[in-house]
Amino acid sequence: MFESEIYVERRKKLKEKIGSGLLLFLGNEESPMNYPDNAYRFRQDSHFLYFFGLDSPGLAGLIDVDEDKDIIFGNDVSMEDIIWMGCQPLLKDRAAEVGVKVTFPFKKLGEVLNNALEKGRKVHYIPVYRQETAFKIENLLGIRSEKVNKYSSKALIKAAVDLRSKKIKQEIEQIEEALDITYEMHTTAMRMAVPGRYEQEIAGTIEGIALSYGADIAFPVILTVNGQILHNHYHGNKLQKGQLMVNDSGAESVMHYAGDITRTIPVGGRFSQKQREIYEIVLNAQLKAIEFTSPGRKNKDVHIKAVQTIASGLKELGIMKGDIKEAVKAGAHALFMPHGLGHMMGLDVHDMEGLGENHVGYDEKTKRSGQFGLAYLRFAKKLEPGFVLTIEPGIYFIPALIDKWFKEKKFMDYIDYKKVGQYRDFGGIRIEDDILVTDKGHRVLGKPIPKTVEEVEAITAKE
Ligand code: GLY
Ligand code: MN
């Protein structure tokens, strides 16, 4: 947990931004795997963590803006709980650690909210992503569960995004703590990538590394020799010499700040000529995009910089052709990179995505494109100091998409489909780092993880 002043300050700023009413933050509950008492590892709601800091189930936070009062609702443990879970600190003592002086048993929340509603006071809440939270809101505020997100507070969404987007020093330290663990996950995977080993042996080992630090993974590990499937969670393949293995994985720190790194590794320890050529294009695009990252610049332009670099590189290999600026404008490059350059990162690996991507990555001055590829860019608006974003370009050869476009005769002026045919079984390459936007430019977070062809080959297990 951070020092209490940080949480007090966050709630104070939130009150200033909203002006009046009540702000309701429901913490998460235990989530059952296969029967009620057999739960997944508990993950607290990130907004609750941000404003109220307490990392356990069964809590709610309420901020009364008009009375300048912060309250945490929750229950102290019963004797039965003590028998099964051991003694737990009292809620009032835990609340004091995050600067909250008033606590009540959970059942009092309904009464407090009822009183507020009877007086016609506004209760703000943010969109929910767990059905049980929607049911809680239905019970507390009388809004049908399926309408809960529709009636969530735009003002609270905006205020939360404003605050959570700009990371303070202590949050950057947390992200770098996650990245220290992530470093070990990635370098271990490189050392393990020998032919004959199964993906799941590596995926399991690196997930175990995160757990061994008392941390967790920030998202399910993507580790695959089929890197052309962007979010491939199948880990049952046996590695074969000459394959490329994409490892997109990251830990979250004990305080739940995320790390998110991708490296692409040649199984057996050496890139082929063909792999090296594509790898160098992706790396060049990533380095150019990082270099271009600075406050005041739109992330959409950073994305364009990256995809132009990719398209130019593919032209040099004869895969794309024609006027590259025009090709990118038309969206032809998206055959090879059908996703956005990256996303904001913080307490969530896709930070605040539960509020709606457009609220986080777009604004009045930056509207989402409808074009295939660019439309998937999660964060397009102007960069500001304190933002943390991933930069993760890739090149993929997706046979089904290639066939579809060829059949439709799409972008025949910009794509040499005959040449593309030579790469049909290539797979995919992605390279990702986490970048802090600073006052003057940017900083790549975490210890450098092998990334150049030479660095990756040097550490990767030789057959
Ligand atoms: N690391 C997975 C993603 O960024 O979507
Ligand atoms: Mn990512």
Side-chain angles (χ1 to χ4, degrees):
M1 215 182 293
F2 295 127
E3 288 169 2
S4 62
E5 291 74 36
I6 288 181
Y7 299 101
V8 172
E9 181 66 16
R10 287 171 175 177
R11 293 192 299 266
K12 182 169 166 265
K13 284 188 178 152
L14 191 57
K15 285 176 231 176
E16 286 163 8
K17 281 181 183 289
I18 302 286
S20 76
L22 291 155
L23 318 180
L24 174 63
F25 291 94
L26 294 171
N28 278 340
E29 298 295 341
E30 295 281 14
S31 200
M33 286 194 282
N34 49 347
Y35 57 92
D37 276 352
N38 207 27
Y40 291 103
R41 196 177 155 96
F42 175 72
R43 177 56 157 85
Q44 183 57 290
D45 173 74
S46 296
H47 295 284
F48 189 85
L49 278 176
Y50 187 84
F51 291 108
F52 288 93
L54 301 187
D55 192 3
S56 60
L59 301 173
L62 190 68
I63 299 176
D64 188 326
V65 181
D66 308 290
E67 297 199 6
D68 190 15
K69 204 188 275 170
D70 307 336
I71 312 169
I72 293 180
F73 296 83
N75 299 329
D76 284 319
V77 286
S78 64
M79 183 49 70
E80 197 171 332
D81 294 328
I82 291 172
I83 292 166
W84 290 96
M85 301 157 50
C87 292
Q88 308 290 325
L90 292 173
L91 181 61
K92 76 171 174 38
D93 296 333
R94 298 177 64 210
E97 288 184 52
V98 292
V100 172
K101 298 189 189 83
V102 185
T103 60
F104 287 123
F106 198 89
K107 66 175 189 317
K108 177 99 174 163
L109 178 59
E111 192 187 313
V112 172
L113 289 174
N114 252 339
N115 279 340
L117 292 176
E118 273 171 16
K119 288 183 190 137
R121 299 185 64 196
K122 168 98 182 147
V123 180
H124 299 261
Y125 63 86
I126 48 176
V128 305
Y129 50 89
R130 291 192 182 189
Q131 199 55 39
E132 75 248 23
T133 317
F135 286 132
K136 270 191 205 164
I137 292 185
E138 177 168 320
N139 286 334
L140 290 165
L141 302 179
I143 297 167
R144 294 254 306 273
S145 62
E146 66 271 22
K147 302 260 189 230
V148 157
N149 282 355
K150 185 170 171 214
Y151 295 115
S152 61
S153 163
K154 298 292 170 290
L156 186 53
I157 291 171
K158 187 174 181 322
V161 169
D162 284 352
L163 290 172
R164 279 186 56 184
S165 292
K166 291 198 170 190
K167 274 68 182 178
I168 58 172
K169 182 170 77 46
Q170 291 87 337
E171 292 180 287
I172 301 302
E173 284 166 9
Q174 279 298 313
I175 292 173
E176 294 211 284
E177 211 170 289
L179 285 170
D180 278 347
I181 304 170
T182 306
Y183 173 93
E184 197 175 320
M185 291 164 68
H186 276 270
T187 50
T188 300
M190 288 167 176
R191 291 197 181 95
M192 285 183 76
V194 282
R197 189 162 262 153
Y198 280 86
E199 293 162 335
Q200 62 210 24
E201 296 177 63
I202 308 176
T205 301
I206 66 175
E207 182 159 344
I209 290 172
L211 297 182
S212 76
Y213 282 94
D216 205 341
I217 44 172
F219 56 93
V221 169
I222 297 162
L223 186 139
T224 177
V225 292
N226 286 312
Q228 76 283 2
I229 302 170
L230 303 187
H231 278 182
N232 194 346
H233 298 297
Y234 176 74
H235 299 144
N237 294 304
K238 196 194 243 186
L239 307 187
Q240 289 170 32
K241 188 174 177 223
Q243 287 179 320
L244 290 171
M245 185 181 84
V246 170
N247 175 15
D248 181 346
S249 60
E252 66 172 27
S253 71
V254 175
M255 284 181 59
H256 303 292
Y257 282 84
D260 181 8
I261 299 286
T262 306
R263 292 291 184 267
T264 304
I265 305 159
V267 176
R270 294 265 175 260
F271 288 98
S272 69
Q273 177 66 21
K274 208 169 172 184
Q275 290 169 343
R276 173 189 277 257
E277 284 168 357
I278 300 287
Y279 191 94
E280 296 281 15
I281 297 172
V282 179
L283 180 61
N284 190 22
Q286 202 233 15
L287 295 175
K288 281 223 165 91
I290 292 173
E291 201 45 49
F292 204 54
T293 297
S294 61
R297 188 160 266 155
K298 279 192 181 184
N299 202 45
K300 182 179 173 184
D301 295 331
V302 184
H303 169 95
I304 300 290
K305 180 80 157 179
V307 294
Q308 270 174 356
T309 310
I310 280 177
S312 303
L314 290 174
K315 183 177 172 179
E316 275 176 37
L317 294 182
I319 295 170
M320 291 189 74
K321 56 186 182 173
D323 182 323
I324 284 307
K325 271 214 162 119
E326 289 303 314
V328 167
K329 215 161 144 193
H333 63 282
L335 178 60
F336 310 103
M337 182 172 145
H339 64 72
L341 186 62
H343 49 87
M344 187 166 253
M345 217 186 64
L347 275 168
D348 306 301
V349 64
H350 291 182
D351 213 20
M352 299 171 276
E353 199 166 289
L355 298 179
E357 248 175 45
N358 284 346
H359 291 299
V360 181
Y362 291 81
D363 58 17
E364 311 73 42
K365 294 195 190 110
T366 315
K367 295 288 166 214
R368 190 184 283 270
S369 159
Q371 187 185 71
F372 178 78
L374 190 53
Y376 301 136
L377 180 61
R378 299 183 194 279
F379 194 102
K381 71 186 184 190
K382 224 184 231 183
L383 299 169
E384 293 181 41
F387 287 7
V388 175
L389 291 118
T390 65
I391 294 194
E392 48 180 311
I395 294 180
Y396 315 88
F397 293 88
I398 305 168
L401 187 61
I402 295 167
D403 289 347
K404 180 172 187 289
W405 280 28
F406 180 62
K407 214 164 126 201
E408 291 168 1
K409 298 194 173 359
K410 259 185 114 148
F411 299 124
M412 300 305 263
D413 292 343
Y414 301 127
I415 296 167
D416 185 333
Y417 284 96
K418 192 148 175 266
K419 185 80 183 173
V420 172
Q422 295 172 14
Y423 289 79
R424 219 181 146 74
D425 301 325
F426 183 93
I429 290 176
R430 178 162 66 251
I431 305 173
E432 174 178 26
D433 283 302
D434 306 333
I435 319 296
L436 168 69
V437 181
T438 60
D439 288 338
K440 296 217 172 70
H442 61 267
R443 179 163 79 80
V444 181
L445 296 176
K447 276 191 289 190
I449 297 173
K451 187 160 76 166
T452 64
V453 164
E454 293 71 27
E455 286 164 355
V456 173
E457 286 188 346
I459 186 174
T460 300
K462 305 297 172 293
E463 43 164 334

